[in-house]
Amino acid sequence: MTRKVKSKKNKKDRIRFGFRSLSFRYSIFFILAVMLIFLVSFIYTLIYTLEILAKEAMTDTSNTMELTIAHLEKTFQEVEEVPNVLARFVNTADPNYTEMRKVLQGIVLSEPYVYGTSMAFEPYTFQRDSLYYALYSYQTESGIVTKFLGGASYNYFDKEWYAKAKEAGKPIWTEPYYDEGGGDTLMCTYSVPLFRDIRGEETFIGVITLDISLSAIGKAIAKLKIYETGYAFLVSGDGAILYHPDSSLINQNVFKLAADSVNPRFQSLAGWITDSTEMNKVIILGATTNSTKVEVLPSTGWYLVVVFPIKEMFSDLIDFLKYLGTIFLFSLLAVFIVTILITRRLTKPLRNLVKATHQIGQGDFDLELPRLKRRDEIGVLSKSFSVMLEKLKEHIETLQHTTAEKEKIESELNIAHTIQMGMLPREFPLRTEFELFAMLDSAKAVGGDLYDFFFLDKDHLFMSVGDVSGKGVPASLFMTVVRTLFRSRTMDGQPLHQIMSLINKELCKDNPNVMFVTMVSGIINLKTGTIELCNAGHNLPLIMDREGNVKRLSLFSAIPLGIEDYHGFRTEKIQLNPGDRLVLYTDGITEALNAKGDFYNEALLSGVLKEHHRADVPTLVKQVVSSIHGFAVGVEQADDITLLILGYQKSSDSGEGVIETKAIRIPNQLEQLHVIVQTIEEISRDWNISSKASMELNLVLEEIYTNIVFYAFPDKNEHMIDIKFSLSSSGILEVVIIDDGKYFDLIEASEEVKLDAALEERKVGGLGIHFVKQMMDEMSYERRGGKNVVTLKKHIK
């Protein structure tokens, strides 16, 4: 039967317009798809447009450069033509140098780029008595000025315009230079060597020059208009800058600027000049910087470099893109709003279904779902919800019934687990001659492992560990039967192998499921340390000596109990030495798996035992079980884990009868020292102990008791300390002090004391215990049953 639950509407139950709504997300996806399509188209169009604009800009720039180069070439050709003609005239006729000079001066006046001209001759050539003869004519604001060049202050024979033309034997253009003493300006010179036929040999007699003013050429180049901030400059064939808008760069060398500067334009230009294959290429040096184009003047080999700004080249495109982007954003916003409105209308039935689903989730199974007369997917979904609601009602009723049954079973299993654990011995005996502890960790609520121990008499202890086949309740019941049989049969006093045989016979009767149990049992003689063991198909026990060395016992292993009527069980005797520990365990330990599929094998078990061999038996058992759980972390426990360890010390009866005993129990308070003093006085008087021995005993117990009070109980709570005095017939006084404080080996601490060391080198503490050992004949320490046990012995007779 279902219940109708009424509750206030939660804000989470309402479907509102927001970031999580279906209409908002659909609109976002739609807008993203539109943007993606637009972006791809836009990028393709932009790249195509950029290429077209770049080509147009380069075409315009190339046309402007070609016009400028053509203009300069025409000028240079006209400049070169006259000197070349005059040079040929000199070589073929008797020249009139005065007329030649007038022709050259006419070029200076007519050509705006020509600054001056000269005719310079070899020594004693023009005038036989004159070493120098060179007339230089140049233009000034007042007209043509002519002056004589030559002399110590102006040795034109060493000048580049003279020396290189003479050496080359053909016309040359010089690199830019400042003609100090000549034209006194920055210029380039076109030098044409003169030759005459003297005695049948063509002989060099001088040079005709025309000087080009770099400032005049710069004015022509400056007229190149490349957008708003673009500019052009001229570089000679050797890399010298003939003209640049930045006057500080004129006459500097491009190669030196490329080496000294991080300016990529000069570095690229230097590369272009070096590698002629790079000529006439455009390199864009950055998306927000400028582009550079280089062309060569054929007549001079100079380079005209044009720099035009990319941003200005594409300024119209950028403005258009901003306008287009604004329109696109407003369009997207409009599409987004319209998409949301349409999607909300389409998803309204879904929102009603979601609202109804929330109410169903709160337990209102009688809710009537909205009816939709639609044949689309939403209509089908509404019908499916109706069917689901009916099925859900049926499932809830079934689940409630199943849950009730499961809770009943779990309750019964918990009770069974409590009963099973209650059947196992939970109180472990505290005896001086042995120490015993065991743990059983079931894989399920109830399991099939068992351990048991009980005294047959005061000197004989029975113990056993078993593993029933299977898991759960059947194994638990079978384990209970086995334990009951062992308890009843063992008390009859029969040999262990006969007990095994009789129990096996009983288990084989009426056992249709063929359940069986592996079992190892033993009876230890606490006086001698001899233990009788009988093994029925169980894991072989381990023996660990006082030093931590572990070995497996080689026992005869008969078949498990309950399989068939079998009489071949065998009892074997093992001698335990003081300090030895017998380890009995089930295969739930050695077959525990980790996440990698590896077994917790016997080698790992032996390693943990050896690592903690100095711990008392309860601590050792707990360390092993903790190690197994740590090994198998993340993996469900598949089998029961059972571990029993017996630690043998020595017989409490060494053959010497105890004639007197005295025991006291006092709290861990220093005020109780007087109780110890009074007790020592009493036994000294009653047992005829000498005053010297009594005084030594008093000092020893005061030292040990004080150490226990100060260091054994970090919780600062009250604890009880037991002190037992006994006197043997041979005159040996034995004192046993037992406390439940933390582990602290007083003997071990005293061994670190070095009496012969310097005072500043001695460690603090341990000296009192050292003297205790000196006063007593024997002193021993052990951790037993979670308690510290100190034993003192002294001969008093």
PDB file of all heavy atoms in Angstrom, residues 666-669 704-722 738-744 783 786 788:
ATOM      1  N   ILE A 666      49.002  -2.910  44.903  1.00  0.00           N
ATOM      2  CA  ILE A 666      48.950  -1.503  45.282  1.00  0.00           C
ATOM      3  C   ILE A 666      48.781  -0.645  44.021  1.00  0.00           C
ATOM      4  O   ILE A 666      49.202  -1.025  42.928  1.00  0.00           O
ATOM      5  CB  ILE A 666      50.235  -1.078  46.037  1.00  0.00           C
ATOM      6  CG1 ILE A 666      51.462  -1.391  45.193  1.00  0.00           C
ATOM      7  CG2 ILE A 666      50.313  -1.744  47.397  1.00  0.00           C
ATOM      8  CD1 ILE A 666      52.775  -0.956  45.853  1.00  0.00           C
ATOM      9  N   PRO A 667      48.179   0.541  44.134  1.00  0.00           N
ATOM     10  CA  PRO A 667      48.026   1.440  42.985  1.00  0.00           C
ATOM     11  C   PRO A 667      49.350   2.131  42.637  1.00  0.00           C
ATOM     12  O   PRO A 667      50.298   2.127  43.422  1.00  0.00           O
ATOM     13  CB  PRO A 667      46.970   2.450  43.452  1.00  0.00           C
ATOM     14  CG  PRO A 667      47.094   2.464  44.941  1.00  0.00           C
ATOM     15  CD  PRO A 667      47.495   1.067  45.352  1.00  0.00           C
ATOM     16  N   ASN A 668      49.386   2.752  41.458  1.00  0.00           N
ATOM     17  CA  ASN A 668      50.606   3.416  40.971  1.00  0.00           C
ATOM     18  C   ASN A 668      50.732   4.822  41.559  1.00  0.00           C
ATOM     19  O   ASN A 668      50.647   5.834  40.869  1.00  0.00           O
ATOM     20  CB  ASN A 668      50.590   3.489  39.432  1.00  0.00           C
ATOM     21  CG  ASN A 668      49.349   4.182  38.886  1.00  0.00           C
ATOM     22  OD1 ASN A 668      48.284   4.099  39.490  1.00  0.00           O
ATOM     23  ND2 ASN A 668      49.473   4.858  37.759  1.00  0.00           N
ATOM     24  N   GLN A 669      50.952   4.843  42.876  1.00  0.00           N
ATOM     25  CA  GLN A 669      51.117   6.110  43.596  1.00  0.00           C
ATOM     26  C   GLN A 669      52.330   5.989  44.503  1.00  0.00           C
ATOM     27  O   GLN A 669      52.490   5.003  45.223  1.00  0.00           O
ATOM     28  CB  GLN A 669      49.863   6.419  44.426  1.00  0.00           C
ATOM     29  CG  GLN A 669      48.595   6.558  43.580  1.00  0.00           C
ATOM     30  CD  GLN A 669      47.347   6.682  44.433  1.00  0.00           C
ATOM     31  OE1 GLN A 669      47.415   6.707  45.672  1.00  0.00           O
ATOM     32  NE2 GLN A 669      46.187   6.739  43.777  1.00  0.00           N
ATOM     33  N   ILE A 704      62.512  -0.025  41.196  1.00  0.00           N
ATOM     34  CA  ILE A 704      61.650  -0.547  40.137  1.00  0.00           C
ATOM     35  C   ILE A 704      60.253   0.057  40.224  1.00  0.00           C
ATOM     36  O   ILE A 704      59.662   0.470  39.225  1.00  0.00           O
ATOM     37  CB  ILE A 704      61.594  -2.085  40.210  1.00  0.00           C
ATOM     38  CG1 ILE A 704      62.972  -2.671  39.886  1.00  0.00           C
ATOM     39  CG2 ILE A 704      60.543  -2.639  39.249  1.00  0.00           C
ATOM     40  CD1 ILE A 704      63.036  -4.175  40.015  1.00  0.00           C
ATOM     41  N   TYR A 705      59.697   0.136  41.438  1.00  0.00           N
ATOM     42  CA  TYR A 705      58.351   0.692  41.614  1.00  0.00           C
ATOM     43  C   TYR A 705      58.312   2.158  41.159  1.00  0.00           C
ATOM     44  O   TYR A 705      57.361   2.589  40.481  1.00  0.00           O
ATOM     45  CB  TYR A 705      57.932   0.558  43.082  1.00  0.00           C
ATOM     46  CG  TYR A 705      56.556   1.117  43.363  1.00  0.00           C
ATOM     47  CD1 TYR A 705      55.407   0.398  43.031  1.00  0.00           C
ATOM     48  CD2 TYR A 705      56.401   2.366  43.955  1.00  0.00           C
ATOM     49  CE1 TYR A 705      54.154   0.906  43.281  1.00  0.00           C
ATOM     50  CE2 TYR A 705      55.143   2.885  44.211  1.00  0.00           C
ATOM     51  CZ  TYR A 705      54.019   2.161  43.878  1.00  0.00           C
ATOM     52  OH  TYR A 705      52.775   2.667  44.126  1.00  0.00           O
ATOM     53  N   THR A 706      59.347   2.910  41.515  1.00  0.00           N
ATOM     54  CA  THR A 706      59.392   4.328  41.105  1.00  0.00           C
ATOM     55  C   THR A 706      59.431   4.457  39.585  1.00  0.00           C
ATOM     56  O   THR A 706      58.754   5.321  39.001  1.00  0.00           O
ATOM     57  CB  THR A 706      60.623   5.005  41.720  1.00  0.00           C
ATOM     58  OG1 THR A 706      60.582   4.862  43.141  1.00  0.00           O
ATOM     59  CG2 THR A 706      60.652   6.486  41.371  1.00  0.00           C
ATOM     60  N   ASN A 707      60.239   3.630  38.921  1.00  0.00           N
ATOM     61  CA  ASN A 707      60.295   3.653  37.452  1.00  0.00           C
ATOM     62  C   ASN A 707      58.938   3.338  36.839  1.00  0.00           C
ATOM     63  O   ASN A 707      58.524   3.968  35.849  1.00  0.00           O
ATOM     64  CB  ASN A 707      61.331   2.650  36.946  1.00  0.00           C
ATOM     65  CG  ASN A 707      62.730   3.235  36.891  1.00  0.00           C
ATOM     66  OD1 ASN A 707      63.091   3.939  35.959  1.00  0.00           O
ATOM     67  ND2 ASN A 707      63.523   2.955  37.925  1.00  0.00           N
ATOM     68  N   ILE A 708      58.243   2.346  37.412  1.00  0.00           N
ATOM     69  CA  ILE A 708      56.926   1.994  36.881  1.00  0.00           C
ATOM     70  C   ILE A 708      55.950   3.151  37.037  1.00  0.00           C
ATOM     71  O   ILE A 708      55.212   3.503  36.110  1.00  0.00           O
ATOM     72  CB  ILE A 708      56.399   0.730  37.584  1.00  0.00           C
ATOM     73  CG1 ILE A 708      57.280  -0.480  37.228  1.00  0.00           C
ATOM     74  CG2 ILE A 708      54.934   0.457  37.189  1.00  0.00           C
ATOM     75  CD1 ILE A 708      56.924  -1.733  37.994  1.00  0.00           C
ATOM     76  N   VAL A 709      55.923   3.775  38.209  1.00  0.00           N
ATOM     77  CA  VAL A 709      54.987   4.881  38.455  1.00  0.00           C
ATOM     78  C   VAL A 709      55.258   6.043  37.504  1.00  0.00           C
ATOM     79  O   VAL A 709      54.335   6.651  36.951  1.00  0.00           O
ATOM     80  CB  VAL A 709      55.083   5.342  39.922  1.00  0.00           C
ATOM     81  CG1 VAL A 709      54.277   6.624  40.134  1.00  0.00           C
ATOM     82  CG2 VAL A 709      54.573   4.243  40.860  1.00  0.00           C
ATOM     83  N   PHE A 710      56.540   6.366  37.282  1.00  0.00           N
ATOM     84  CA  PHE A 710      56.891   7.545  36.481  1.00  0.00           C
ATOM     85  C   PHE A 710      56.737   7.326  34.968  1.00  0.00           C
ATOM     86  O   PHE A 710      56.360   8.235  34.236  1.00  0.00           O
ATOM     87  CB  PHE A 710      58.325   7.976  36.786  1.00  0.00           C
ATOM     88  CG  PHE A 710      58.446   8.741  38.071  1.00  0.00           C
ATOM     89  CD1 PHE A 710      59.564   8.586  38.886  1.00  0.00           C
ATOM     90  CD2 PHE A 710      57.448   9.614  38.476  1.00  0.00           C
ATOM     91  CE1 PHE A 710      59.682   9.289  40.055  1.00  0.00           C
ATOM     92  CE2 PHE A 710      57.571  10.314  39.667  1.00  0.00           C
ATOM     93  CZ  PHE A 710      58.673  10.163  40.466  1.00  0.00           C
ATOM     94  N   TYR A 711      57.039   6.114  34.493  1.00  0.00           N
ATOM     95  CA  TYR A 711      57.170   5.928  33.036  1.00  0.00           C
ATOM     96  C   TYR A 711      56.198   4.939  32.401  1.00  0.00           C
ATOM     97  O   TYR A 711      56.061   4.932  31.178  1.00  0.00           O
ATOM     98  CB  TYR A 711      58.597   5.470  32.714  1.00  0.00           C
ATOM     99  CG  TYR A 711      59.657   6.391  33.257  1.00  0.00           C
ATOM    100  CD1 TYR A 711      60.570   5.945  34.221  1.00  0.00           C
ATOM    101  CD2 TYR A 711      59.742   7.710  32.830  1.00  0.00           C
ATOM    102  CE1 TYR A 711      61.533   6.791  34.737  1.00  0.00           C
ATOM    103  CE2 TYR A 711      60.711   8.562  33.338  1.00  0.00           C
ATOM    104  CZ  TYR A 711      61.607   8.108  34.295  1.00  0.00           C
ATOM    105  OH  TYR A 711      62.549   8.952  34.795  1.00  0.00           O
ATOM    106  N   ALA A 712      55.512   4.115  33.165  1.00  0.00           N
ATOM    107  CA  ALA A 712      54.722   3.035  32.557  1.00  0.00           C
ATOM    108  C   ALA A 712      53.320   3.471  32.141  1.00  0.00           C
ATOM    109  O   ALA A 712      52.693   2.807  31.317  1.00  0.00           O
ATOM    110  CB  ALA A 712      54.623   1.850  33.515  1.00  0.00           C
ATOM    111  N   PHE A 713      52.805   4.580  32.690  1.00  0.00           N
ATOM    112  CA  PHE A 713      51.399   4.935  32.468  1.00  0.00           C
ATOM    113  C   PHE A 713      51.272   6.362  31.938  1.00  0.00           C
ATOM    114  O   PHE A 713      51.065   7.311  32.711  1.00  0.00           O
ATOM    115  CB  PHE A 713      50.606   4.787  33.781  1.00  0.00           C
ATOM    116  CG  PHE A 713      50.804   3.456  34.470  1.00  0.00           C
ATOM    117  CD1 PHE A 713      51.553   3.361  35.625  1.00  0.00           C
ATOM    118  CD2 PHE A 713      50.253   2.310  33.925  1.00  0.00           C
ATOM    119  CE1 PHE A 713      51.741   2.153  36.256  1.00  0.00           C
ATOM    120  CE2 PHE A 713      50.443   1.087  34.546  1.00  0.00           C
ATOM    121  CZ  PHE A 713      51.194   1.000  35.717  1.00  0.00           C
ATOM    122  N   PRO A 714      51.383   6.538  30.607  1.00  0.00           N
ATOM    123  CA  PRO A 714      51.269   7.892  30.036  1.00  0.00           C
ATOM    124  C   PRO A 714      49.867   8.479  30.139  1.00  0.00           C
ATOM    125  O   PRO A 714      49.693   9.689  30.009  1.00  0.00           O
ATOM    126  CB  PRO A 714      51.665   7.689  28.560  1.00  0.00           C
ATOM    127  CG  PRO A 714      51.431   6.242  28.284  1.00  0.00           C
ATOM    128  CD  PRO A 714      51.688   5.526  29.574  1.00  0.00           C
ATOM    129  N   ASP A 715      48.835   7.636  30.377  1.00  0.00           N
ATOM    130  CA  ASP A 715      47.470   8.168  30.462  1.00  0.00           C
ATOM    131  C   ASP A 715      47.179   8.834  31.805  1.00  0.00           C
ATOM    132  O   ASP A 715      46.103   9.422  31.997  1.00  0.00           O
ATOM    133  CB  ASP A 715      46.456   7.059  30.205  1.00  0.00           C
ATOM    134  CG  ASP A 715      46.609   5.895  31.185  1.00  0.00           C
ATOM    135  OD1 ASP A 715      47.421   6.000  32.126  1.00  0.00           O
ATOM    136  OD2 ASP A 715      45.923   4.874  30.980  1.00  0.00           O
ATOM    137  N   LYS A 716      48.103   8.698  32.784  1.00  0.00           N
ATOM    138  CA  LYS A 716      47.976   9.337  34.097  1.00  0.00           C
ATOM    139  C   LYS A 716      46.786   8.806  34.916  1.00  0.00           C
ATOM    140  O   LYS A 716      46.407   9.402  35.927  1.00  0.00           O
ATOM    141  CB  LYS A 716      47.847  10.860  33.967  1.00  0.00           C
ATOM    142  CG  LYS A 716      48.958  11.518  33.167  1.00  0.00           C
ATOM    143  CD  LYS A 716      50.325  11.254  33.756  1.00  0.00           C
ATOM    144  CE  LYS A 716      51.422  11.940  32.942  1.00  0.00           C
ATOM    145  NZ  LYS A 716      52.772  11.648  33.466  1.00  0.00           N
ATOM    146  N   ASN A 717      46.204   7.701  34.472  1.00  0.00           N
ATOM    147  CA  ASN A 717      45.089   7.106  35.229  1.00  0.00           C
ATOM    148  C   ASN A 717      45.617   6.159  36.300  1.00  0.00           C
ATOM    149  O   ASN A 717      46.810   5.823  36.335  1.00  0.00           O
ATOM    150  CB  ASN A 717      44.149   6.354  34.275  1.00  0.00           C
ATOM    151  CG  ASN A 717      43.476   7.288  33.290  1.00  0.00           C
ATOM    152  OD1 ASN A 717      43.242   8.463  33.598  1.00  0.00           O
ATOM    153  ND2 ASN A 717      43.157   6.777  32.107  1.00  0.00           N
ATOM    154  N   GLU A 718      44.716   5.720  37.165  1.00  0.00           N
ATOM    155  CA  GLU A 718      45.113   4.793  38.220  1.00  0.00           C
ATOM    156  C   GLU A 718      45.197   3.378  37.687  1.00  0.00           C
ATOM    157  O   GLU A 718      44.303   2.906  36.986  1.00  0.00           O
ATOM    158  CB  GLU A 718      44.114   4.848  39.377  1.00  0.00           C
ATOM    159  CG  GLU A 718      44.517   3.933  40.542  1.00  0.00           C
ATOM    160  CD  GLU A 718      43.595   4.094  41.734  1.00  0.00           C
ATOM    161  OE1 GLU A 718      43.684   5.111  42.423  1.00  0.00           O
ATOM    162  OE2 GLU A 718      42.770   3.180  41.923  1.00  0.00           O
ATOM    163  N   HIS A 719      46.300   2.694  37.973  1.00  0.00           N
ATOM    164  CA  HIS A 719      46.514   1.305  37.584  1.00  0.00           C
ATOM    165  C   HIS A 719      47.012   0.547  38.805  1.00  0.00           C
ATOM    166  O   HIS A 719      47.603   1.123  39.722  1.00  0.00           O
ATOM    167  CB  HIS A 719      47.544   1.197  36.452  1.00  0.00           C
ATOM    168  CG  HIS A 719      47.118   1.857  35.175  1.00  0.00           C
ATOM    169  ND1 HIS A 719      46.557   1.165  34.136  1.00  0.00           N
ATOM    170  CD2 HIS A 719      47.165   3.165  34.796  1.00  0.00           C
ATOM    171  CE1 HIS A 719      46.290   2.010  33.150  1.00  0.00           C
ATOM    172  NE2 HIS A 719      46.647   3.236  33.530  1.00  0.00           N
ATOM    173  N   MET A 720      46.785  -0.777  38.794  1.00  0.00           N
ATOM    174  CA  MET A 720      47.211  -1.613  39.915  1.00  0.00           C
ATOM    175  C   MET A 720      48.500  -2.344  39.563  1.00  0.00           C
ATOM    176  O   MET A 720      48.691  -2.788  38.410  1.00  0.00           O
ATOM    177  CB  MET A 720      46.115  -2.624  40.263  1.00  0.00           C
ATOM    178  CG  MET A 720      44.793  -1.991  40.654  1.00  0.00           C
ATOM    179  SD  MET A 720      44.935  -0.745  41.989  1.00  0.00           S
ATOM    180  CE  MET A 720      45.428  -1.810  43.342  1.00  0.00           C
ATOM    181  N   ILE A 721      49.385  -2.463  40.538  1.00  0.00           N
ATOM    182  CA  ILE A 721      50.660  -3.154  40.377  1.00  0.00           C
ATOM    183  C   ILE A 721      50.683  -4.322  41.356  1.00  0.00           C
ATOM    184  O   ILE A 721      50.449  -4.154  42.554  1.00  0.00           O
ATOM    185  CB  ILE A 721      51.837  -2.196  40.647  1.00  0.00           C
ATOM    186  CG1 ILE A 721      51.769  -0.987  39.688  1.00  0.00           C
ATOM    187  CG2 ILE A 721      53.175  -2.920  40.502  1.00  0.00           C
ATOM    188  CD1 ILE A 721      52.786   0.099  40.009  1.00  0.00           C
ATOM    189  N   ASP A 722      50.957  -5.536  40.793  1.00  0.00           N
ATOM    190  CA  ASP A 722      51.009  -6.749  41.617  1.00  0.00           C
ATOM    191  C   ASP A 722      52.457  -7.098  41.924  1.00  0.00           C
ATOM    192  O   ASP A 722      53.302  -7.130  41.012  1.00  0.00           O
ATOM    193  CB  ASP A 722      50.335  -7.915  40.891  1.00  0.00           C
ATOM    194  CG  ASP A 722      48.839  -7.695  40.718  1.00  0.00           C
ATOM    195  OD1 ASP A 722      48.158  -7.480  41.729  1.00  0.00           O
ATOM    196  OD2 ASP A 722      48.367  -7.717  39.550  1.00  0.00           O
ATOM    197  N   ILE A 738      54.304  -7.221  38.396  1.00  0.00           N
ATOM    198  CA  ILE A 738      53.480  -7.230  37.177  1.00  0.00           C
ATOM    199  C   ILE A 738      52.695  -5.928  37.101  1.00  0.00           C
ATOM    200  O   ILE A 738      52.041  -5.531  38.081  1.00  0.00           O
ATOM    201  CB  ILE A 738      52.512  -8.438  37.172  1.00  0.00           C
ATOM    202  CG1 ILE A 738      53.287  -9.752  37.300  1.00  0.00           C
ATOM    203  CG2 ILE A 738      51.656  -8.439  35.907  1.00  0.00           C
ATOM    204  CD1 ILE A 738      52.402 -10.977  37.438  1.00  0.00           C
ATOM    205  N   ASP A 739      52.770  -5.246  35.905  1.00  0.00           N
ATOM    206  CA  ASP A 739      51.950  -4.036  35.674  1.00  0.00           C
ATOM    207  C   ASP A 739      51.421  -4.073  34.242  1.00  0.00           C
ATOM    208  O   ASP A 739      51.970  -4.741  33.373  1.00  0.00           O
ATOM    209  CB  ASP A 739      52.781  -2.777  35.918  1.00  0.00           C
ATOM    210  CG  ASP A 739      53.860  -2.574  34.873  1.00  0.00           C
ATOM    211  OD1 ASP A 739      53.552  -2.004  33.796  1.00  0.00           O
ATOM    212  OD2 ASP A 739      55.025  -2.978  35.119  1.00  0.00           O
ATOM    213  N   ASP A 740      50.334  -3.341  34.016  1.00  0.00           N
ATOM    214  CA  ASP A 740      49.731  -3.309  32.677  1.00  0.00           C
ATOM    215  C   ASP A 740      50.085  -2.011  31.938  1.00  0.00           C
ATOM    216  O   ASP A 740      49.305  -1.521  31.108  1.00  0.00           O
ATOM    217  CB  ASP A 740      48.208  -3.455  32.768  1.00  0.00           C
ATOM    218  CG  ASP A 740      47.567  -2.337  33.581  1.00  0.00           C
ATOM    219  OD1 ASP A 740      48.305  -1.557  34.221  1.00  0.00           O
ATOM    220  OD2 ASP A 740      46.326  -2.228  33.557  1.00  0.00           O
ATOM    221  N   GLY A 741      51.259  -1.461  32.205  1.00  0.00           N
ATOM    222  CA  GLY A 741      51.694  -0.242  31.538  1.00  0.00           C
ATOM    223  C   GLY A 741      52.242  -0.521  30.137  1.00  0.00           C
ATOM    224  O   GLY A 741      52.180  -1.635  29.624  1.00  0.00           O
ATOM    225  N   LYS A 742      52.802   0.537  29.520  1.00  0.00           N
ATOM    226  CA  LYS A 742      53.341   0.386  28.165  1.00  0.00           C
ATOM    227  C   LYS A 742      54.624  -0.448  28.206  1.00  0.00           C
ATOM    228  O   LYS A 742      55.258  -0.601  29.248  1.00  0.00           O
ATOM    229  CB  LYS A 742      53.620   1.759  27.543  1.00  0.00           C
ATOM    230  CG  LYS A 742      54.765   2.511  28.217  1.00  0.00           C
ATOM    231  CD  LYS A 742      55.049   3.823  27.511  1.00  0.00           C
ATOM    232  CE  LYS A 742      56.260   4.523  28.142  1.00  0.00           C
ATOM    233  NZ  LYS A 742      56.578   5.793  27.443  1.00  0.00           N
ATOM    234  N   TYR A 743      55.004  -0.963  27.038  1.00  0.00           N
ATOM    235  CA  TYR A 743      56.204  -1.796  26.942  1.00  0.00           C
ATOM    236  C   TYR A 743      57.444  -0.983  27.311  1.00  0.00           C
ATOM    237  O   TYR A 743      57.686   0.100  26.810  1.00  0.00           O
ATOM    238  CB  TYR A 743      56.344  -2.319  25.507  1.00  0.00           C
ATOM    239  CG  TYR A 743      57.666  -3.031  25.259  1.00  0.00           C
ATOM    240  CD1 TYR A 743      57.823  -4.368  25.583  1.00  0.00           C
ATOM    241  CD2 TYR A 743      58.742  -2.344  24.717  1.00  0.00           C
ATOM    242  CE1 TYR A 743      59.029  -5.016  25.362  1.00  0.00           C
ATOM    243  CE2 TYR A 743      59.950  -2.974  24.486  1.00  0.00           C
ATOM    244  CZ  TYR A 743      60.097  -4.323  24.815  1.00  0.00           C
ATOM    245  OH  TYR A 743      61.297  -4.948  24.593  1.00  0.00           O
ATOM    246  N   PHE A 744      58.238  -1.520  28.267  1.00  0.00           N
ATOM    247  CA  PHE A 744      59.500  -0.884  28.620  1.00  0.00           C
ATOM    248  C   PHE A 744      60.399  -1.928  29.271  1.00  0.00           C
ATOM    249  O   PHE A 744      60.135  -2.398  30.375  1.00  0.00           O
ATOM    250  CB  PHE A 744      59.282   0.294  29.579  1.00  0.00           C
ATOM    251  CG  PHE A 744      60.570   0.996  29.940  1.00  0.00           C
ATOM    252  CD1 PHE A 744      61.280   1.704  28.975  1.00  0.00           C
ATOM    253  CD2 PHE A 744      61.089   0.926  31.223  1.00  0.00           C
ATOM    254  CE1 PHE A 744      62.464   2.347  29.295  1.00  0.00           C
ATOM    255  CE2 PHE A 744      62.272   1.567  31.540  1.00  0.00           C
ATOM    256  CZ  PHE A 744      62.958   2.277  30.578  1.00  0.00           C
ATOM    257  N   ARG A 783      57.240  -9.539  28.231  1.00  0.00           N
ATOM    258  CA  ARG A 783      55.931  -8.929  27.980  1.00  0.00           C
ATOM    259  C   ARG A 783      54.957 -10.066  27.769  1.00  0.00           C
ATOM    260  O   ARG A 783      55.075 -10.839  26.812  1.00  0.00           O
ATOM    261  CB  ARG A 783      56.006  -8.040  26.732  1.00  0.00           C
ATOM    262  CG  ARG A 783      54.706  -7.313  26.396  1.00  0.00           C
ATOM    263  CD  ARG A 783      54.503  -6.102  27.253  1.00  0.00           C
ATOM    264  NE  ARG A 783      53.295  -5.368  26.861  1.00  0.00           N
ATOM    265  CZ  ARG A 783      52.831  -4.304  27.504  1.00  0.00           C
ATOM    266  NH1 ARG A 783      53.490  -3.838  28.564  1.00  0.00           N
ATOM    267  NH2 ARG A 783      51.744  -3.687  27.100  1.00  0.00           N
ATOM    268  N   GLY A 786      49.885  -8.697  27.469  1.00  0.00           N
ATOM    269  CA  GLY A 786      49.722  -7.250  27.486  1.00  0.00           C
ATOM    270  C   GLY A 786      50.233  -6.607  28.761  1.00  0.00           C
ATOM    271  O   GLY A 786      49.909  -5.448  29.047  1.00  0.00           O
ATOM    272  N   ASN A 788      53.740  -6.052  31.609  1.00  0.00           N
ATOM    273  CA  ASN A 788      55.176  -6.148  31.874  1.00  0.00           C
ATOM    274  C   ASN A 788      55.388  -7.043  33.095  1.00  0.00           C
ATOM    275  O   ASN A 788      54.749  -6.847  34.142  1.00  0.00           O
ATOM    276  CB  ASN A 788      55.766  -4.760  32.160  1.00  0.00           C
ATOM    277  CG  ASN A 788      55.586  -3.821  30.979  1.00  0.00           C
ATOM    278  OD1 ASN A 788      55.985  -4.136  29.870  1.00  0.00           O
ATOM    279  ND2 ASN A 788      54.972  -2.663  31.219  1.00  0.00           N
TER     280      ASN A 788
END
